[in-house]
Amino acid sequence: MLTFHKLDDIPHDFGPAIVSVGNFDGVHRAHRAVIDEIVRRARAAHGHSVVVTFEPHPARILRPDHGLKLLTPLPEKLRLLEATGLTRCCCFPSRAIFR
């Protein structure tokens, strides 16, 4: 699985893709159902299966006083996502997007 950390990292000739956006903390059963469908559809279309996620969780930027507890640190989250068969992951910094 290739991981992109900035929009500029994504090649201009990226090609067709099936994409889902979310935090994917824990990569639990519901996440797996969505990701499995993305991977299946992308393979059928000969495209990329992609998730877009953020680090840190956007709630930590938008509501820093909330004390959000996460299940999975980033390295583990990326490992779990890779194990699903996804071909690409966009892991963007929340501070650059949610201000």
Side-chain angles (χ1 to χ4, degrees):
M1 176 180 79
L2 288 178
T3 302
F4 305 108
H5 295 281
K6 300 180 300 195
L7 282 175
D8 290 342
D9 292 344
I10 300 171
H12 293 286
D13 61 348
F14 189 77
I18 306 294
V19 180
S20 182
V21 178
N23 195 60
F24 300 102
D25 184 40
V27 190
H28 54 67
R29 214 179 294 178
H31 291 145
R32 284 301 306 256
V34 170
I35 292 169
D36 289 348
E37 185 67 12
I38 289 168
V39 170
R40 185 189 67 74
R41 288 183 184 195
R43 285 180 179 154
H46 304 287
H48 298 293
S49 51
V50 184
V51 295
V52 177
T53 189
F54 308 96
E55 181 64 26
H57 192 292
R60 289 195 168 162
I61 304 302
L62 299 171
R63 297 187 61 202
D65 56 321
H66 185 64
L68 177 70
K69 303 282 189 246
L70 297 176
L71 300 172
T72 313
L74 181 60
E76 178 69 4
K77 176 166 66 170
L78 293 176
R79 187 191 67 73
L80 290 169
L81 288 171
E82 184 170 25
T84 67
L86 287 163
T87 62
R88 307 289 187 268
C89 176
C90 299
C91 184
F92 298 136
S94 297
R95 285 177 179 79
I97 297 169
F98 302 97
R99 296 182 201 198

